[in-house]
Amino acid sequence: MLSSPHTVSDVMTHTAVAVGPQAPFKDVIALMDQWKVSALPVLEGEGRVVGLVSEADLLPKEEFRDSDPDRFTQMRRLTDLAKAGGLTAADVMTALAVTVHPDATLAQAARIMAQRKVKRLPVVNAEGLLEGIVSRADLLKVFLRTDDDIADEVGQDVVAPLFRSLADNVRVEVSDGVVTLRGRVEDTSLVPVAARLVRAVEGVVDVRWNPADADTLDERSRTH
């Protein structure tokens, strides 16, 4: 049985700095500087996330501070011009912030970030209350797993249950996250299955098959 994948709760920052909607513009910047973060969730009531204010939301005030944009720019960047005149977090935040639940897998969180083109996600519970924040850097932490740790998981959760025939002799080697499976297998149709399962192990950079008398794992994967 495969090990449970890591979830957002495993890597997120649990103590997230946040502001209220009426937080003054300068206070938002001061908090970002104090805590060395590039965005802050905006909370209402008991902690319900209503938006996210990032450095990108704050920059229009400086960009348009001493400029008089032409009509075309005004029409094209109405939102940024409105933010340039903002005085509070509510004025400049991105409302209806994209969020994620703590039990979401890292792959699910990564897809949300890619699809919505955001660098971080507030983590909320079923009631929409803030529990933390997860960033792109947090999602990459799985690649800090040691080669030995990866080898143990691949051996236990992929090789052992998949290659059970007495004729199978598969060894696992891992170097810098690249998994190499060496040996012979009786049922070669299991090779592409192994490829998919190994790639699903968190922290794996790539997977290769190096049997004595067979094609590479990637070549077999393309033909099945």
Side-chain angles (χ1 to χ4, degrees), residues 16 23 27 44 59 107-108 130 152 163 175 180 183:
D27 286 1
E44 195 172 65
L59 278 175
Q108 289 170 334
L130 183 70
D152 288 343
F163 300 111
S175 178
T180 301

Side-chain angles (χ1 to χ4, degrees), residues 42-76:
V42 182
L43 308 183
E44 195 172 65
E46 297 181 355
R48 185 170 58 87
V49 178
V50 295
L52 188 74
V53 58
S54 69
E55 292 171 336
D57 295 316
L58 303 172
L59 278 175
K61 186 174 288 291
E62 178 64 19
E63 179 184 357
F64 295 108
R65 180 170 55 84
D66 58 356
S67 66
D68 186 16
D70 57 35
R71 184 176 179 82
F72 175 75
T73 301
Q74 291 180 28
M75 293 178 62
R76 184 170 59 90

Side-chain angles (χ1 to χ4, degrees), residues 9-210:
S9 63
D10 295 325
V11 300
M12 72 182 189
T13 300
H14 289 265
T15 306
V17 186
V19 294
Q22 300 309 312
F25 185 94
K26 290 189 69 171
D27 286 1
V28 173
I29 296 178
L31 274 175
M32 286 183 176
D33 180 66
Q34 177 184 349
W35 292 95
K36 307 304 178 190
V37 295
S38 58
L40 296 171
V42 182
L43 308 183
E44 195 172 65
E46 297 181 355
R48 185 170 58 87
V49 178
V50 295
L52 188 74
V53 58
S54 69
E55 292 171 336
D57 295 316
L58 303 172
L59 278 175
K61 186 174 288 291
E62 178 64 19
E63 179 184 357
F64 295 108
R65 180 170 55 84
D66 58 356
S67 66
D68 186 16
D70 57 35
R71 184 176 179 82
F72 175 75
T73 301
Q74 291 180 28
M75 293 178 62
R76 184 170 59 90
R77 301 187 61 188
L78 283 174
T79 299
D80 287 342
L81 285 167
K83 290 182 178 182
L87 299 177
T88 66
D91 296 333
V92 299
M93 72 180 186
T94 298
L96 300 175
V98 184
T99 60
V100 68
H101 291 297
D103 58 354
T105 66
L106 303 190
Q108 289 170 334
R111 281 194 289 271
I112 294 173
M113 287 186 185
Q115 291 168 358
R116 302 302 293 267
K117 295 180 172 59
V118 295
K119 297 179 180 180
R120 64 201 64 79
L121 294 168
V123 183
V124 300
N125 61 20
E127 288 73 42
L129 303 182
L130 183 70
E131 292 199 353
I133 195 161
V134 64
S135 68
R136 290 176 178 175
D138 293 328
L139 299 185
L140 294 175
K141 289 177 181 177
V142 292
F143 292 103
L144 298 177
R145 295 184 71 186
T146 67
D147 289 343
D148 288 343
D149 190 20
I150 294 172
D152 288 343
E153 183 170 341
V154 171
Q156 177 180 340
D157 292 347
V158 179
V159 172
L162 199 60
F163 300 111
R164 296 180 176 179
S165 170
L166 293 177
D168 293 338
N169 181 21
V170 180
R171 303 184 309 279
V172 181
E173 297 177 4
V174 184
S175 178
D176 294 329
V178 177
V179 177
T180 301
L181 301 180
R182 300 185 183 276
R184 299 171 184 261
V185 295
E186 185 175 54
D187 183 358
T188 57
S189 68
L190 294 176
V191 171
V193 177
R196 290 191 294 271
L197 293 176
V198 172
R199 287 194 177 96
V201 172
E202 288 167 345
V204 170
V205 175
D206 196 9
V207 57
R208 300 168 182 171
W209 178 259
N210 190 14

